[in-house]
Amino acid sequence: MYEGIRSPVIHTPKTLSEFATIAYRYPSAIIWAGGSYLMSQKEYYPSEIKDGIIDLGSLEEMKRITRNDRFVEIGAMVTASQLLYAGKLVLPPVLQETLRTLASQIVRRQITIGGSLCVPDIRLSLSTTLAVLDAMAEVKYYQGGKVSTHWIPIAKLYDKDGKLLLGSQKALLTRIRIGLEYGDYQRFVCVEDPIRNTDECVIVAFQASRSQNSLSKVQFCITFPSKAFHISKDLESKLSGMTLPIHPERVNTLSYELVSELTKMHSGISELQLERGRRIFESFLHDLNAQSLSS
């Protein structure tokens, strides 16, 4: 059945310097992190792979989690399961909730942080939450034997449709950085499975700070996995500075402003997804109202 198809060459760098050498010699090689997304693709293997596969599994320097007084740094080869276990005392609650929703416990042991962020054509839960947390990604670019390093906000890694924007050069996301200052109100919701039910899935992350029933530093991201990666600076600005409780009519108006933005800026989002996104957004504002009235 697979006559004439050979197994690809597997490169296994043990340091980032070795990776740079291999990336220079084999510019078309596929980068393999956990493999959970690549192996889920129809007819991915066996296939013809010109320069083979670069397996990142031996890069110990990309498996570290470190912390100081200002931020946590997480290597790109840390798995979702490892991060959830190690980060219970240091990770924002919204990120912990996001990690718990990533597939099954078995699959979480395989999913890597960098691999989840670097899926080229579909956005998943982790990208949505890290964008809301203002997380940064360290990306190394390899061209002509030279290496350049850039820190890029997670929110800037993707276009408005959620496609990865690392460019045409060989690039490697090596670690992410998350600040330890974040809002006291955080919510994450994922409706439907982003892989199995891509065209029905909606992913939403939200955070804000509250002081004397006043909202500030509101950050909000809504993702439709294969259609849109949306951060509304206009809605964030309108919500920041509002006094709680927000009048129900105002909540309704804001939710339809979100739908209007999404419809104007993105094509292909279904009516079901738009309504789900609107209601999730509304639910956050009603929840904030309820908490302000009960305090």
Side-chain angles (χ1 to χ4, degrees), residues 25-41:
R25 293 182 62 187
Y26 305 98
S28 298
I30 291 176
I31 297 176
W32 185 283
S36 55
Y37 177 77
L38 289 174
M39 289 299 287
S40 72
Q41 300 306 289

Side-chain angles (χ1 to χ4, degrees), residues 24-254:
Y24 175 65
R25 293 182 62 187
Y26 305 98
S28 298
I30 291 176
I31 297 176
W32 185 283
S36 55
Y37 177 77
L38 289 174
M39 289 299 287
S40 72
Q41 300 306 289
K42 184 179 180 182
E43 297 180 352
Y44 173 74
Y45 185 85
S47 62
E48 292 290 350
I49 302 175
K50 179 183 176 182
D51 283 350
I53 292 170
I54 304 178
D55 180 4
L56 305 180
S58 298
L59 287 170
E60 294 299 322
E61 55 196 298
M62 287 173 56
K63 297 180 181 180
R64 300 169 185 160
I65 302 173
T66 59
R67 178 194 173 186
N68 60 28
D69 293 337
R70 294 184 297 122
F71 51 76
V72 177
E73 286 192 345
I74 303 158
M77 287 299 291
V78 172
T79 68
S81 180
Q82 289 170 337
L83 183 57
L84 185 58
Y85 177 78
K88 289 182 179 179
L89 298 178
V90 297
L91 295 181
V94 68
L95 181 54
Q96 294 183 46
E97 178 62 22
T98 302
L99 292 167
R100 280 192 288 266
T101 67
L102 293 179
S104 66
Q105 187 174 1
I106 293 174
V107 176
R108 286 199 296 271
R109 295 173 186 168
Q110 194 71 19
I111 295 173
T112 64
I113 303 306
S116 179
L117 295 175
C118 291
V119 173
D121 56 355
I122 186 172
R123 290 286 53 81
L124 304 173
S125 301
L126 199 59
S127 306
T128 307
T129 297
L130 289 175
V132 163
L133 291 171
D134 279 338
M136 303 285 288
E138 182 187 58
V139 180
K140 294 184 181 294
Y141 287 94
Y142 301 84
Q143 187 175 35
K146 296 182 179 180
V147 183
S148 60
T149 302
H150 304 267
W151 282 97
I152 304 172
I154 297 292
K156 300 294 185 182
L157 286 178
Y158 317 106
D159 66 15
K160 68 181 183 68
D161 298 322
K163 303 297 187 295
L164 190 63
L165 290 175
L166 288 183
S168 58
Q169 303 175 36
K170 178 70 83 178
L172 181 67
L173 191 155
T174 53
R175 55 180 167 164
I176 63 169
R177 179 179 290 172
I178 306 170
L180 295 177
E181 294 185 6
Y182 39 80
D184 62 335
Y185 180 86
Q186 300 185 346
R187 290 294 183 271
F188 171 82
V189 173
C190 180
V191 179
E192 300 287 356
D193 187 293
I195 300 296
R196 293 189 179 92
N197 300 309
T198 304
D199 292 334
E200 298 178 2
C201 178
V202 181
I203 306 167
V204 191
F206 184 103
Q207 78 157 345
S209 296
R210 294 169 295 180
S211 177
Q212 298 180 345
N213 284 342
S214 178
L215 281 179
S216 63
K217 299 179 181 178
V218 175
Q219 292 175 284
F220 168 73
C221 181
I222 182 167
T223 299
F224 305 90
S226 61
K227 300 171 184 176
F229 181 79
H230 187 78
I231 297 173
S232 176
K233 293 299 182 185
D234 184 49
L235 279 174
E236 288 179 347
S237 178
K238 286 180 179 179
L239 286 168
S240 297
M242 277 193 176
T243 300
L244 296 172
I246 304 170
H247 194 282
E249 290 184 6
R250 183 57 171 153
V251 170
N252 187 64
T253 299
L254 290 167

